[in-house]
Amino acid sequence: MSKFNSLSLGAVLAGVGVLACQPAFSEEPDGWAGEAAFSAGYTTGNTETTDLGLGVDVARTQGPWTIGLVADGEYGEQDGVESRNRYFLSGDVDRLLNEKLFAFGRTSYEVDQFTGFDSRTFVGGGLGYHIFDGDKTKWSVQGGPGVKIDEVKRTITTDAQGAVLIIPAETVTSFGAVARSEYAYTFNESVSVSNETDVLYGEASTQIENAASLTAAISKSISARMSFKVRYDTNPADGFEDTDTALKIALVYGFGG
C-alpha cells in the first residue's frame, strides 16, 4: 500500500498559454485569475504508483497582453520507497494581434526522477489562433520554434554479449518546437469538459501529451475534477517505458475572473 510522507512542488517564473480572448484594447478590468488544485492519482508506465499532487495555474491580463504561470508537482511512495517525484514549471507571455490571432513566448522546465532525463527545458515562441471563443465552446491552437535542452541521465546497460556498458550523462541542446491545442466545452454553470494536447519536439526526444478532464462545480469557488493523461516519449532512454498514464481526482479552488 502506498504511503505519503511528503509532497513536493516546484514554482515557476516565466512565460503564457491562451487564457483569455478579448479585443486587443479592451477597457474591461484587468487582474489575476486562475486556480489551485490538490489531487490524488494513480500512475502507470515508468512507475506504477499512487501519488499526491499540487498545482497552480494563474494568468493576468493587461490590455492586449496576458502573462500566465503554471506550477505543478507530484510525489508518491510505494512500500516506503520513493516511486514518484516530478515537478513542472512554465511561463508564457502572449499578445493579441487581432480578435483571433496572437503571438506568444514560452519557457518551461521539467524534472522527473523516474525517466531517463534529469531535466528538460524549452524556450521559444510563435503564433496562435482562437478557433472558437463562444460562451460554451472555446478552442485555441498555437505553435512555434525554439531551443530545447535535454539533460540526459547516466545509464548502465548491457550489450548483446552481456557486457556492461556505461553511457555517460550528457546535455543535448537542439532546435526545438512546441505545439498546443486547448479545447473546452461548458454544458452549464456547473459542468464542463476540456482536452489539452501538447507536443514538445527536440533532437534527443519528443514528448506528446494529451489530458482530458471533467470538472463539476461544488460551490462558487470549489470544484471537483477527474482527469486522464497519456504521455508518449518518442525516444526514451534504455530501460525506460515510452508511455505513461495518470488518472487523477482533484479538488480545485478557482479565483478571480
Side-chain angles (χ1 to χ4, degrees):
M1 185 176 188
S2 299
K3 300 178 181 178
F4 302 98
N5 297 323
S6 63
L7 178 66
S8 107
L9 170 69
V12 69
L13 269 175
V16 167
V18 182
L19 222 276
C21 179
Q22 61 182 41
F25 299 100
S26 170
E27 296 301 325
E28 295 180 8
D30 301 319
W32 288 98
E35 62 180 39
F38 178 76
S39 65
Y42 178 69
T43 302
T44 65
N46 284 295
T47 58
E48 187 166 334
T49 182
T50 52
D51 56 63
L52 296 177
L54 186 62
V56 179
D57 186 345
V58 298
R60 189 179 195 278
T61 298
Q62 185 71 47
W65 296 90
T66 299
I67 299 174
L69 304 172
V70 175
D72 65 68
E74 296 120 27
Y75 183 86
E77 293 184 358
Q78 191 75 30
D79 298 326
V81 178
E82 182 181 272
S83 56
R84 180 71 167 160
N85 190 344
R86 171 191 176 272
Y87 61 86
F88 173 81
L89 317 169
S90 74
D92 303 79
V93 176
D94 74 349
R95 190 190 194 283
L96 285 168
L97 303 178
N98 57 40
E99 291 187 355
K100 294 286 189 178
L101 185 66
F102 62 94
F104 74 92
R106 176 177 177 81
T107 181
S108 65
Y109 178 76
E110 179 186 31
V111 172
D112 191 338
Q113 297 299 325
F114 294 89
T115 67
F117 297 85
D118 280 322
S119 67
R120 296 179 173 112
T121 304
F122 176 82
V123 179
L127 295 174
Y129 191 78
H130 296 286
I131 300 173
F132 297 116
D133 190 40
D135 292 335
K136 286 185 171 292
T137 305
K138 296 182 182 296
W139 184 19
S140 65
V141 294
Q142 60 179 281
V147 176
K148 189 166 185 276
I149 304 171
D150 292 289
E151 298 284 350
V152 185
K153 286 183 176 180
R154 173 179 178 270
T155 57
I156 301 176
T157 185
T158 58
D159 62 16
Q161 287 72 44
V164 176
L165 297 176
I166 298 177
I167 302 173
E170 64 174 329
T171 299
V172 180
T173 301
S174 65
F175 168 80
V178 65
R180 180 173 176 83
S181 168
E182 293 182 278
Y183 176 85
Y185 182 81
T186 302
F187 291 98
N188 51 49
E189 292 183 354
S190 299
V191 181
S192 64
V193 295
S194 66
N195 191 87
E196 298 179 356
T197 304
D198 289 279
V199 179
L200 185 57
Y201 168 82
E203 179 182 327
S205 69
T206 297
Q207 290 74 52
I208 304 171
E209 184 176 290
N210 190 83
S213 63
L214 171 66
T215 303
I218 299 174
S219 67
K220 183 177 180 180
S221 300
I222 305 296
S223 300
R225 176 176 296 157
M226 177 177 288
S227 63
F228 181 72
K229 180 184 295 185
V230 179
R231 178 169 179 156
Y232 176 74
D233 195 320
T234 60
N235 186 32
D238 290 340
F240 291 90
E241 300 289 334
D242 59 10
T243 303
D244 291 295
T245 67
L247 178 64
K248 294 184 179 295
I249 298 175
L251 196 63
V252 182
Y253 172 72
F255 56 91

